[in-house]
């Protein structure tokens, strides 16, 4: 059994804004490219052009339909390792390959020690680990530890690949152990949440919930009714008068 360190003062992690994520998968692809690909293309580890392409992906985005009728919406839900404070994937590991860093809380796998037994994947309630089918070792989000401390990279690149690539700025990186950090303030302002807190894993990563719909969105807009109205208003009135001017 592998021991967890004392809780660290620094808790590096991600904050993911579910209100903003559009499910474009850019973070998924850039994560794959930076962490496990090493090639320009293709991204599947094996059988890339065959019938069953396979590979380990450290970050996946799932999509869910939530709510009913006018209140329904699609929620895109990115998921990678949450770098839990009480990480069961660490304590279950028989070889010490899985470990949590005392200095910043990042949970990592020492691939030289991993025997591919899969116990950590079974113990993770979030399905955040993947056995690399080509290498036979366990892989997971590293919080891009090789980028965030890499002084050879320009400062703007010293953030996780997924954060750097997100076109909508839905992903944020920082120290969630510091109440004054930008990410902590974001979590406080938006009632950031733990994923499945009942599991007792105390994830460091936080999710910002989708904002409630605006009142104006509650009444569905009928373009047909607007187009058929005898006395057009607003945008349609402008279109009407513009067409009149054109003769
Ligand atoms: S999310 Fe899963 S793999 Fe990551 S630290 Fe928590 S239990 Fe371990
Ligand atoms: S698969 Fe590797 S990292 Fe996971 S429990 Fe087994 S030895 Fe540890
Ligand atoms: S932090 Fe790095 S390893 Fe983790 S999901 Fe983002 S890109 Fe992938």
């Amino acid at each position: 059994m592998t021991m967890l360190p004392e809780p660290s003062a620094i808790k590096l992690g991600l904050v993911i804004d579910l209100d903003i994520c559009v499910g474009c998968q850019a973070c998924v692809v850039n994560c794959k490219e930076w962490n496990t690909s090493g090639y320009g293309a293709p991204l599947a580890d094996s059988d890339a052009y065959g019938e069953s392409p396979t590979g380990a992906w450290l970050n996946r985005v799932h999509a869910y339909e939530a709510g009913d009728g006018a209140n329904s919406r699609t929620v895109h839900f990115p998921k990678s390792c949450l770098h839990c404070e009480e990480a069961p994937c660490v304590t279950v590991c028989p070889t010490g390959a899985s470990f949590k860093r005392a200095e910043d809380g990042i949970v990592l796998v020492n691939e030289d020690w991993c025997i591919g037994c899969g116990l950590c994947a079974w113990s993770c309630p979030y399905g955040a680990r993947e056995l690399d089918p080509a290498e036979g070792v366990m892989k997971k989000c590293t919080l891009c530890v090789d980028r965030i401390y890499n002084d050879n990279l320009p400062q703007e690149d010293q953030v996780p690949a997924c954060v750097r690539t997100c076109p909508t700025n839905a992903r944020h990186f920082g120290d969630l152990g510091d109440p004054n950090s930008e990410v902590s303030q974001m979590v406080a302002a938006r009632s950031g949440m733990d994923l499945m807190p009942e599991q007792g894993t105390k994830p460091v990563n936080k999710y910002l919930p989708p904002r409630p719909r605006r009142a104006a969105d509650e009444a569905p807009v009928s373009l047909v009714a607007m187009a058929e109205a005898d006395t057009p208003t607003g945008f349609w009135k402008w279109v009407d008068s513009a067409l009149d001017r054109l003769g």
Side-chain angles (χ1 to χ4, degrees):
M1 176 174 165
T2 311
M3 302 293 288
L4 286 164
E6 290 295 314
S8 55
I10 299 174
K11 301 180 200 301
L12 297 183
L14 299 175
V15 172
I16 298 173
D17 190 341
L18 298 179
D19 193 54
I20 290 179
C21 175
V22 293
C24 69
Q25 312 279 337
C27 60
V28 174
V29 173
N30 205 22
C31 171
K32 176 70 177 166
E33 176 59 30
W34 179 261
N35 288 285
T36 75
S37 171
Y39 305 95
L43 290 175
D45 292 321
S46 57
D47 200 20
Y49 298 111
E51 288 184 0
S52 307
T54 57
W57 296 71
L58 313 188
N59 176 39
R60 294 183 187 259
V61 180
H62 307 277
Y64 300 94
E65 288 297 324
D68 294 311
N71 288 321
S72 67
R73 64 195 300 166
T74 302
V75 177
H76 300 286
F77 194 86
K79 182 169 61 63
S80 52
C81 169
L82 297 102
H83 300 279
C84 307
E85 287 192 55
E86 299 291 338
C89 59
V90 170
T91 52
V92 80
C93 180
T95 66
S98 286
F99 64 102
K100 185 171 174 72
R101 285 159 51 114
E103 62 268 40
D104 54 16
I106 300 177
V107 175
L108 292 173
V109 177
N110 178 344
E111 293 179 11
D112 289 340
W113 290 2
C114 176
I115 56 174
C117 66
L119 285 173
C120 56
W122 281 102
S123 73
C124 171
Y126 308 109
R129 291 184 167 235
E130 301 207 4
L131 190 68
D132 186 313
E135 297 180 29
V137 295
M138 196 56 73
K139 297 204 170 163
K140 62 177 280 300
C141 163
T142 62
L143 212 58
C144 288
V145 69
D146 54 342
R147 290 175 67 97
I148 60 179
Y149 293 112
N150 189 342
D151 290 336
N152 292 320
L153 293 176
Q155 196 170 12
E156 61 268 27
D157 284 334
Q158 293 176 25
V159 292
C162 57
V163 172
R164 185 78 175 106
T165 202
C166 177
T168 64
N169 214 22
R171 301 177 75 98
H172 304 269
F173 164 72
D175 179 8
L176 288 143
D178 173 4
N180 296 317
S181 70
E182 207 175 323
V183 280
S184 294
Q185 289 178 0
M186 215 177 278
V187 169
R190 292 274 307 280
S191 303
M193 303 185 326
D194 283 358
L195 183 60
M196 295 160 60
E198 72 280 5
Q199 295 293 327
T201 52
K202 296 190 186 166
V204 171
N205 286 10
K206 298 284 182 273
Y207 286 95
L208 305 182
R211 292 180 175 92
R213 284 186 172 280
R214 288 169 300 181
D217 292 342
E218 284 171 7
V221 175
S222 168
L223 292 180
V224 174
M226 289 172 75
E228 287 176 346
D230 290 339
T231 52
T233 56
F235 173 72
W236 296 106
K237 185 176 181 182
W238 179 84
V239 171
D240 211 29
S241 56
L243 290 175
D244 272 352
R245 276 201 302 277
L246 288 173

